[in-house]
Amino acid sequence: MKSFNFYNITNSAFKKLGFSCAFTFAIIASNTLAEDKLPTQFTDVTLDSKLKIDFEPVNDMLDANVFNMGPSRRVNAKRPRASMGTKLKRAISASTHNEANRFTYELIQKNNHEDKVTAIKLYLESIPAKTSLKQYNRAEQLAYWLNLYNITVINEIVKRYPRIRLKKLLTGSNSLLDEKLINIDGIELSLNDIHHDILYKNYYKNPLIIYGLYQGNIGGPNINKKAYTGKNVYRLLKANATEFINSNRGTNTDMFSELEVSSYYARNADYFPDFEHDLRSHLLQFADEKTSKKIDLADELTANINNWKVTDLYGSDRVFGGGTAPGAAGMLGSGADPSLTQKVMEDANMGKGVNLTDTQISRLRQLMKVRAKNIGNTSVTVNDLDDSEDDN
Protein backbone atom coordinates (compact mmCIF):
# COMPACT_ATOMS: atom_id res chain seq x y z
CA MET A 1 0.00 0.00 0.00
CA LYS A 2 1.41 3.39 -0.93
CA SER A 3 1.99 5.84 1.88
CA PHE A 4 0.08 9.07 1.76
CA ASN A 5 2.75 11.28 0.24
CA PHE A 6 1.53 11.53 -3.30
CA TYR A 7 4.91 12.80 -3.81
CA ASN A 8 5.86 9.19 -3.74
CA ILE A 9 5.93 9.52 -7.54
CA THR A 10 8.51 7.27 -9.17
CA ASN A 11 11.89 8.50 -10.39
CA SER A 12 10.89 7.99 -14.01
CA ALA A 13 7.78 10.09 -13.46
CA PHE A 14 9.81 12.91 -11.94
CA LYS A 15 12.17 12.84 -14.90
CA LYS A 16 9.16 13.31 -17.14
CA LEU A 17 7.99 16.21 -15.02
CA GLY A 18 11.38 17.89 -15.09
CA PHE A 19 11.60 17.62 -18.85
CA SER A 20 8.09 18.96 -19.35
CA CYS A 21 8.66 21.98 -17.15
CA ALA A 22 11.67 23.05 -19.16
CA PHE A 23 9.85 22.52 -22.40
CA THR A 24 6.64 24.24 -21.45
CA PHE A 25 8.27 27.34 -20.10
CA ALA A 26 10.02 27.69 -23.45
CA ILE A 27 6.73 27.88 -25.35
CA ILE A 28 5.68 31.29 -26.57
CA ALA A 29 1.92 31.49 -26.90
CA SER A 30 1.15 32.81 -30.33
CA ASN A 31 -2.28 31.46 -31.16
CA THR A 32 -5.67 31.01 -29.55
CA LEU A 33 -8.41 28.51 -30.28
CA ALA A 34 -10.54 29.62 -33.19
CA GLU A 35 -14.20 29.90 -32.30
CA ASP A 36 -15.51 28.38 -35.54
CA LYS A 37 -12.89 25.77 -36.38
CA LEU A 38 -10.63 23.55 -34.30
CA PRO A 39 -6.94 23.27 -35.24
CA THR A 40 -6.23 20.00 -37.01
CA GLN A 41 -3.89 18.84 -34.23
CA PHE A 42 -6.99 18.75 -31.99
CA THR A 43 -9.31 17.00 -34.47
CA ASP A 44 -7.29 14.46 -36.46
CA VAL A 45 -7.02 10.90 -35.20
CA THR A 46 -5.36 7.56 -36.00
CA LEU A 47 -8.27 5.22 -35.42
CA ASP A 48 -6.28 1.99 -35.22
CA SER A 49 -3.37 3.42 -33.23
CA LYS A 50 -2.00 1.30 -30.37
CA LEU A 51 0.09 4.13 -28.91
CA LYS A 52 -0.44 4.82 -25.21
CA ILE A 53 0.14 8.01 -23.23
CA ASP A 54 1.99 7.69 -19.93
CA PHE A 55 -0.37 9.05 -17.25
CA GLU A 56 1.71 7.68 -14.36
CA PRO A 57 2.27 11.08 -12.66
CA VAL A 58 -1.46 11.83 -12.78
CA ASN A 59 -2.33 8.39 -11.46
CA ASP A 60 0.12 8.65 -8.56
CA MET A 61 -1.24 12.01 -7.48
CA LEU A 62 -4.88 10.95 -7.64
CA ASP A 63 -4.25 7.62 -5.94
CA ALA A 64 -2.63 9.33 -2.98
CA ASN A 65 -4.91 12.35 -2.65
CA VAL A 66 -8.44 11.28 -3.60
CA PHE A 67 -10.68 9.90 -0.85
CA ASN A 68 -13.35 7.65 -2.35
CA MET A 69 -16.67 8.20 -0.53
CA GLY A 70 -18.45 5.32 -2.23
CA PRO A 71 -21.98 5.36 -3.72
CA SER A 72 -24.52 7.69 -2.14
CA ARG A 73 -27.17 6.25 0.16
CA ARG A 74 -29.20 9.47 -0.19
CA VAL A 75 -29.00 10.19 3.55
CA ASN A 76 -29.18 13.82 4.66
CA ALA A 77 -26.50 15.14 7.00
CA LYS A 78 -27.50 16.50 10.38
CA ARG A 79 -26.78 20.13 11.05
CA PRO A 80 -23.39 20.42 12.80
CA ARG A 81 -23.39 21.39 16.43
CA ALA A 82 -21.78 24.66 17.46
CA SER A 83 -18.08 24.74 18.25
CA MET A 84 -17.01 25.01 21.88
CA GLY A 85 -17.38 28.51 23.23
CA THR A 86 -20.00 29.65 20.72
CA LYS A 87 -23.64 29.06 19.78
CA LEU A 88 -23.02 29.62 16.08
CA LYS A 89 -23.46 26.71 13.70
CA ARG A 90 -22.19 26.22 10.17
CA ALA A 91 -24.66 26.29 7.31
CA ILE A 92 -24.59 23.18 5.14
CA SER A 93 -26.49 21.72 2.21
CA ALA A 94 -27.77 18.75 4.18
CA SER A 95 -28.74 16.49 1.28
CA THR A 96 -25.31 16.67 -0.39
CA HIS A 97 -22.98 17.60 2.47
CA ASN A 98 -21.48 14.11 2.81
CA GLU A 99 -21.46 13.17 -0.87
CA ALA A 100 -18.73 13.26 -3.55
CA ASN A 101 -15.15 12.03 -3.47
CA ARG A 102 -12.72 14.33 -1.66
CA PHE A 103 -9.32 15.72 -2.58
CA THR A 104 -6.82 16.61 0.15
CA TYR A 105 -6.18 20.24 -0.73
CA GLU A 106 -5.37 21.06 2.89
CA LEU A 107 -2.54 18.52 3.06
CA ILE A 108 -1.01 19.67 -0.22
CA GLN A 109 -0.99 23.21 1.13
CA LYS A 110 0.32 22.15 4.54
CA ASN A 111 3.27 20.35 2.92
CA ASN A 112 3.96 23.12 0.39
CA HIS A 113 3.47 20.76 -2.53
CA GLU A 114 1.60 23.18 -4.77
CA ASP A 115 4.51 23.18 -7.23
CA LYS A 116 4.19 19.41 -7.69
CA VAL A 117 0.63 19.80 -8.97
CA THR A 118 1.78 22.50 -11.39
CA ALA A 119 4.59 20.23 -12.59
CA ILE A 120 2.10 17.50 -13.50
CA LYS A 121 0.00 20.00 -15.44
CA LEU A 122 3.08 21.13 -17.36
CA TYR A 123 4.02 17.53 -18.08
CA LEU A 124 0.61 16.94 -19.65
CA GLU A 125 0.90 20.11 -21.71
CA SER A 126 4.25 18.95 -23.08
CA ILE A 127 3.02 15.56 -24.35
CA PRO A 128 1.68 16.69 -27.78
CA ALA A 129 5.05 18.29 -28.62
CA LYS A 130 6.74 14.92 -28.28
CA THR A 131 4.05 12.87 -30.02
CA SER A 132 1.25 14.65 -31.83
CA LEU A 133 -2.20 13.89 -30.46
CA LYS A 134 -3.40 12.88 -33.91
CA GLN A 135 -1.16 9.79 -33.70
CA TYR A 136 -3.39 8.41 -30.92
CA ASN A 137 -6.82 6.83 -31.17
CA ARG A 138 -9.96 8.58 -29.95
CA ALA A 139 -10.11 6.86 -26.55
CA GLU A 140 -6.50 7.75 -25.74
CA GLN A 141 -7.12 11.36 -26.79
CA LEU A 142 -10.24 11.49 -24.61
CA ALA A 143 -8.26 10.29 -21.59
CA TYR A 144 -5.66 12.96 -22.31
CA TRP A 145 -8.15 15.83 -22.45
CA LEU A 146 -9.99 14.72 -19.32
CA ASN A 147 -6.79 14.32 -17.30
CA LEU A 148 -5.49 17.69 -18.48
CA TYR A 149 -8.79 19.38 -17.66
CA ASN A 150 -8.98 17.87 -14.16
CA ILE A 151 -5.36 18.53 -13.22
CA THR A 152 -5.77 22.13 -14.37
CA VAL A 153 -8.85 22.55 -12.18
CA ILE A 154 -7.00 21.06 -9.19
CA ASN A 155 -4.00 23.30 -9.87
CA GLU A 156 -6.17 26.43 -9.90
CA ILE A 157 -8.03 25.49 -6.72
CA VAL A 158 -4.74 24.74 -4.97
CA LYS A 159 -3.63 28.30 -5.76
CA ARG A 160 -6.76 29.72 -4.13
CA TYR A 161 -7.23 27.29 -1.27
CA PRO A 162 -8.72 27.54 1.37
CA ARG A 163 -11.45 29.23 -0.63
CA ILE A 164 -14.70 27.64 0.57
CA ARG A 165 -17.25 28.36 -2.17
CA LEU A 166 -16.52 27.97 -5.88
CA LYS A 167 -19.65 29.45 -7.47
CA LYS A 168 -17.97 32.67 -8.61
CA LEU A 169 -15.01 30.71 -9.95
CA LEU A 170 -17.20 28.38 -12.01
CA THR A 171 -19.94 30.70 -13.23
CA GLY A 172 -20.39 34.27 -14.40
CA SER A 173 -18.51 36.61 -16.68
CA ASN A 174 -15.17 36.10 -14.93
CA SER A 175 -15.35 32.32 -14.69
CA LEU A 176 -12.13 30.41 -14.20
CA LEU A 177 -13.37 28.11 -16.96
CA ASP A 178 -12.99 30.89 -19.56
CA GLU A 179 -9.39 31.82 -18.69
CA LYS A 180 -6.64 30.75 -21.09
CA LEU A 181 -4.84 28.53 -18.60
CA ILE A 182 -3.44 25.87 -20.93
CA ASN A 183 -0.84 26.06 -23.69
CA ILE A 184 -0.44 23.25 -26.22
CA ASP A 185 1.77 23.65 -29.27
CA GLY A 186 1.65 27.43 -28.79
CA ILE A 187 -2.16 27.45 -28.77
CA GLU A 188 -3.81 28.86 -25.69
CA LEU A 189 -6.83 26.97 -24.41
CA SER A 190 -9.39 27.53 -21.70
CA LEU A 191 -11.15 24.77 -19.82
CA ASN A 192 -14.30 25.67 -21.71
CA ASP A 193 -12.40 25.33 -25.01
CA ILE A 194 -11.66 21.73 -24.07
CA HIS A 195 -15.16 21.08 -22.73
CA HIS A 196 -17.44 22.78 -25.24
CA ASP A 197 -15.28 22.74 -28.37
CA ILE A 198 -12.74 19.90 -28.47
CA LEU A 199 -14.68 17.27 -26.51
CA TYR A 200 -18.12 18.34 -27.66
CA LYS A 201 -17.19 18.19 -31.35
CA ASN A 202 -14.80 15.25 -31.36
CA TYR A 203 -17.04 12.92 -29.36
CA TYR A 204 -20.34 13.53 -31.11
CA LYS A 205 -21.96 15.50 -28.28
CA ASN A 206 -21.88 12.41 -26.05
CA PRO A 207 -23.29 13.40 -22.60
CA LEU A 208 -21.01 10.86 -20.91
CA ILE A 209 -18.19 13.37 -21.39
CA ILE A 210 -19.54 15.75 -18.75
CA TYR A 211 -19.03 13.19 -15.97
CA GLY A 212 -15.29 13.19 -16.56
CA LEU A 213 -14.93 16.94 -16.00
CA TYR A 214 -14.17 17.53 -12.32
CA GLN A 215 -15.35 20.96 -11.20
CA GLY A 216 -13.82 21.03 -7.73
CA ASN A 217 -17.17 21.42 -5.95
CA ILE A 218 -19.28 18.88 -4.10
CA GLY A 219 -22.19 19.43 -6.49
CA GLY A 220 -20.20 18.29 -9.53
CA PRO A 221 -19.05 14.92 -10.89
CA ASN A 222 -16.57 12.85 -8.92
CA ILE A 223 -12.80 13.01 -9.17
CA ASN A 224 -11.50 9.43 -9.36
CA LYS A 225 -8.55 7.77 -7.65
CA LYS A 226 -7.29 6.64 -11.06
CA ALA A 227 -6.14 8.61 -14.06
CA TYR A 228 -8.17 8.14 -17.20
CA THR A 229 -6.55 5.94 -19.84
CA GLY A 230 -7.65 4.85 -23.27
CA LYS A 231 -8.50 1.47 -21.79
CA ASN A 232 -10.56 2.58 -18.78
CA VAL A 233 -12.02 5.93 -19.86
CA TYR A 234 -15.50 4.83 -20.92
CA ARG A 235 -15.87 2.44 -18.00
CA LEU A 236 -14.96 5.19 -15.52
CA LEU A 237 -17.26 7.69 -17.22
CA LYS A 238 -20.19 5.27 -16.97
CA ALA A 239 -19.37 4.63 -13.30
CA ASN A 240 -19.27 8.38 -12.64
CA ALA A 241 -22.59 8.86 -14.44
CA THR A 242 -24.22 6.08 -12.42
CA GLU A 243 -22.91 7.45 -9.12
CA PHE A 244 -23.93 11.03 -9.88
CA ILE A 245 -27.42 10.32 -11.21
CA ASN A 246 -28.27 8.07 -8.25
CA SER A 247 -27.04 10.58 -5.67
CA ASN A 248 -28.64 13.62 -4.07
CA ARG A 249 -26.20 15.74 -6.07
CA GLY A 250 -27.66 14.51 -9.33
CA THR A 251 -31.37 13.96 -8.70
CA ASN A 252 -33.87 14.54 -5.90
CA THR A 253 -36.28 11.61 -5.53
CA ASP A 254 -38.23 13.10 -2.58
CA MET A 255 -40.35 15.58 -4.54
CA PHE A 256 -43.90 14.53 -5.45
CA SER A 257 -44.61 15.76 -8.98
CA GLU A 258 -41.35 17.53 -9.80
CA LEU A 259 -37.95 16.09 -10.68
CA GLU A 260 -35.14 18.23 -9.34
CA VAL A 261 -31.76 17.66 -10.98
CA SER A 262 -28.32 19.18 -10.68
CA SER A 263 -27.79 22.65 -12.11
CA TYR A 264 -24.69 21.09 -13.72
CA TYR A 265 -27.05 19.72 -16.37
CA ALA A 266 -28.31 23.22 -17.16
CA ARG A 267 -24.71 24.38 -17.55
CA ASN A 268 -24.29 21.53 -20.05
CA ALA A 269 -27.52 22.15 -21.93
CA ASP A 270 -25.69 22.01 -25.27
CA TYR A 271 -25.36 18.24 -24.70
CA PHE A 272 -29.17 18.01 -24.39
CA PRO A 273 -30.70 19.96 -27.32
CA ASP A 274 -34.30 19.13 -26.37
CA PHE A 275 -33.36 19.68 -22.75
CA GLU A 276 -36.09 17.99 -20.72
CA HIS A 277 -36.75 15.12 -23.13
CA ASP A 278 -33.08 14.39 -23.85
CA LEU A 279 -32.05 14.70 -20.21
CA ARG A 280 -34.81 12.34 -19.03
CA SER A 281 -33.74 9.77 -21.61
CA HIS A 282 -30.13 10.14 -20.56
CA LEU A 283 -30.86 9.82 -16.84
CA LEU A 284 -32.88 6.65 -17.37
CA GLN A 285 -29.85 4.93 -18.93
CA PHE A 286 -28.05 4.97 -15.57
CA ALA A 287 -30.81 5.37 -12.97
CA ASP A 288 -31.54 2.68 -10.39
CA GLU A 289 -35.11 1.42 -9.89
CA LYS A 290 -36.16 4.10 -7.39
CA THR A 291 -34.69 6.93 -9.43
CA SER A 292 -36.18 5.58 -12.66
CA LYS A 293 -39.67 5.56 -11.15
CA LYS A 294 -39.23 9.15 -10.04
CA ILE A 295 -38.08 10.22 -13.50
CA ASP A 296 -41.05 8.48 -15.13
CA LEU A 297 -43.63 9.91 -12.74
CA ALA A 298 -42.41 13.51 -12.50
CA ASP A 299 -44.54 16.08 -14.36
CA GLU A 300 -41.76 18.61 -14.68
CA LEU A 301 -38.00 18.87 -14.41
CA THR A 302 -36.07 21.65 -12.66
CA ALA A 303 -32.28 21.98 -12.68
CA ASN A 304 -31.74 23.60 -9.30
CA ILE A 305 -29.64 21.28 -7.11
CA ASN A 306 -26.39 22.97 -6.06
CA ASN A 307 -23.50 22.58 -3.65
CA TRP A 308 -20.67 24.97 -4.46
CA LYS A 309 -18.43 23.99 -1.58
CA VAL A 310 -14.95 22.74 -2.45
CA THR A 311 -14.37 18.98 -2.19
CA ASP A 312 -11.62 19.15 0.39
CA LEU A 313 -11.26 16.73 3.28
CA TYR A 314 -11.69 18.83 6.41
CA GLY A 315 -9.88 22.15 6.16
CA SER A 316 -12.36 24.60 4.66
CA ASP A 317 -15.10 24.36 7.26
CA ARG A 318 -15.49 27.76 8.82
CA VAL A 319 -14.62 27.69 12.52
CA PHE A 320 -16.51 29.85 15.04
CA GLY A 321 -14.32 29.77 18.11
CA GLY A 322 -13.30 26.49 19.68
CA GLY A 323 -9.87 25.17 20.53
CA THR A 324 -7.50 22.79 18.80
CA ALA A 325 -7.06 19.12 19.52
CA PRO A 326 -3.83 17.89 17.96
CA GLY A 327 -4.08 14.31 19.15
CA ALA A 328 -7.69 13.27 18.77
CA ALA A 329 -7.58 12.89 15.00
CA GLY A 330 -4.86 10.32 15.37
CA MET A 331 -7.43 7.67 16.20
CA LEU A 332 -9.38 8.10 12.99
CA GLY A 333 -9.14 5.11 10.70
CA SER A 334 -10.50 3.77 7.43
CA GLY A 335 -9.85 0.10 6.97
CA ALA A 336 -10.43 0.02 3.21
CA ASP A 337 -8.38 3.10 2.41
CA PRO A 338 -5.65 3.57 5.04
CA SER A 339 -3.25 5.51 2.80
CA LEU A 340 -5.33 8.68 3.07
CA THR A 341 -5.63 8.80 6.84
CA GLN A 342 -2.04 7.74 7.41
CA LYS A 343 -0.77 11.24 6.77
CA VAL A 344 -3.38 12.80 9.03
CA MET A 345 -2.55 10.30 11.76
CA GLU A 346 1.17 10.93 11.47
CA ASP A 347 0.90 14.69 11.51
CA ALA A 348 -1.77 14.98 14.17
CA ASN A 349 -0.61 12.25 16.52
CA MET A 350 3.17 12.18 16.19
CA GLY A 351 4.19 15.76 16.75
CA LYS A 352 4.52 16.95 13.17
CA GLY A 353 2.80 20.25 13.77
CA VAL A 354 -0.77 19.80 12.54
CA ASN A 355 -3.31 21.10 15.04
CA LEU A 356 -6.85 20.25 14.07
CA THR A 357 -9.78 22.19 15.45
CA ASP A 358 -12.74 20.45 17.02
CA THR A 359 -14.68 21.31 13.87
CA GLN A 360 -12.08 19.70 11.61
CA ILE A 361 -11.88 16.57 13.75
CA SER A 362 -15.65 16.29 13.72
CA ARG A 363 -15.70 16.68 9.94
CA LEU A 364 -13.11 13.94 9.47
CA ARG A 365 -15.08 11.68 11.73
CA GLN A 366 -18.29 12.29 9.80
CA LEU A 367 -16.73 11.53 6.43
CA MET A 368 -15.03 8.36 7.70
CA LYS A 369 -18.27 6.99 9.09
CA VAL A 370 -20.36 7.94 6.07
CA ARG A 371 -17.81 6.38 3.75
CA ALA A 372 -17.74 3.16 5.80
CA LYS A 373 -21.52 2.85 5.50
CA ASN A 374 -21.53 3.71 1.79
CA ILE A 375 -18.95 1.06 0.98
CA GLY A 376 -20.21 -1.46 3.52
CA ASN A 377 -17.06 -1.38 5.63
CA THR A 378 -17.79 -1.64 9.34
CA SER A 379 -14.17 -1.57 10.47
CA VAL A 380 -13.83 2.21 10.82
CA THR A 381 -12.57 3.06 14.29
CA VAL A 382 -13.20 6.41 15.89
CA ASN A 383 -11.99 6.86 19.45
CA ASP A 384 -11.88 9.85 21.78
CA LEU A 385 -14.73 11.53 19.88
CA ASP A 386 -18.24 12.22 21.08
CA ASP A 387 -20.73 9.79 19.52
CA SER A 388 -23.53 12.34 19.92
CA GLU A 389 -22.63 13.99 16.62
CA ASP A 390 -23.29 11.32 14.07
CA ASP A 391 -24.32 12.46 10.61
CA ASN A 392 -26.17 9.27 9.77
Side-chain angles (χ1 to χ4, degrees), residues 143-348:
Y144 172 79
W145 290 117
L146 295 178
N147 287 328
L148 177 60
Y149 184 105
N150 294 344
I151 291 299
T152 301
V153 168
I154 291 170
N155 190 52
E156 293 302 313
I157 294 176
V158 164
K159 294 176 184 177
R160 294 164 173 82
Y161 191 81
R163 183 166 185 157
I164 297 175
R165 306 284 176 181
L166 301 183
K167 183 175 182 179
K168 290 184 179 179
L169 279 179
L170 297 176
T171 64
S173 57
N174 295 317
S175 171
L176 170 74
L177 306 179
D178 289 322
E179 295 183 25
K180 300 294 185 180
L181 301 171
I182 298 163
N183 193 309
I184 297 178
D185 288 342
I187 298 174
E188 292 183 331
L189 299 173
S190 69
L191 292 165
N192 273 340
D193 288 333
I194 294 175
H195 181 176
H196 296 289
D197 285 310
I198 295 172
L199 295 177
Y200 182 74
K201 295 172 182 176
N202 286 349
Y203 295 91
Y204 312 104
K205 307 175 184 179
N206 185 348
L208 265 182
I209 299 299
I210 69 176
Y211 299 100
L213 301 171
Y214 173 61
Q215 304 292 288
N217 66 314
I218 291 175
N222 265 338
I223 184 72
N224 292 309
K225 283 183 71 69
K226 292 183 178 180
Y228 290 105
T229 66
K231 184 177 180 179
N232 72 23
V233 63
Y234 285 105
R235 174 173 56 84
L236 291 181
L237 288 176
K238 290 176 182 178
N240 264 14
T242 301
E243 186 281 329
F244 190 73
I245 290 167
N246 297 295
S247 74
N248 287 338
R249 299 173 0 262
T251 59
N252 180 356
T253 58
D254 293 334
M255 302 293 290
F256 177 66
S257 61
E258 180 183 5
L259 175 65
E260 292 185 336
V261 300
S262 171
S263 65
Y264 185 61
Y265 291 116
R267 298 193 298 279
N268 284 277
D270 49 347
Y271 284 83
F272 307 99
D274 184 350
F275 185 71
E276 183 164 339
H277 175 271
D278 292 348
L279 181 55
R280 282 177 184 264
S281 298
H282 169 74
L283 296 175
L284 285 170
Q285 293 180 51
F286 302 96
D288 58 24
E289 183 177 359
K290 180 181 178 180
T291 306
S292 294
K293 288 181 179 179
K294 175 60 187 176
I295 295 169
D296 286 334
L297 294 174
D299 295 331
E300 56 183 315
L301 182 151
T302 306
N304 62 355
I305 299 176
N306 292 295
N307 190 328
W308 297 105
K309 188 178 173 187
V310 66
T311 59
D312 62 358
L313 186 60
Y314 62 80
S316 70
D317 280 306
R318 187 178 179 188
V319 179
F320 299 101
T324 59
M331 300 310 295
L332 287 165
S334 176
D337 193 5
S339 62
L340 177 67
T341 56
Q342 179 177 334
K343 182 62 176 174
V344 177
M345 290 162 59
E346 288 178 354
D347 285 355

Side-chain angles (χ1 to χ4, degrees), residues 39-89:
T40 57
Q41 59 263 54
F42 300 154
T43 59
D44 290 354
V45 62
T46 303
L47 294 176
D48 59 351
S49 173
K50 303 299 183 183
L51 290 177
K52 305 297 180 185
I53 299 175
D54 185 357
F55 294 119
E56 179 187 2
V58 180
N59 199 72
D60 284 346
M61 187 188 75
L62 295 178
D63 179 63
N65 288 278
V66 173
F67 186 52
N68 178 15
M69 286 296 293
S72 168
R73 294 184 301 118
R74 291 191 182 274
V75 177
N76 288 359
K78 294 180 180 179
R79 189 180 181 190
R81 64 184 178 183
S83 300
M84 287 180 9
T86 178
K87 294 183 179 180
L88 296 174
K89 296 184 179 181

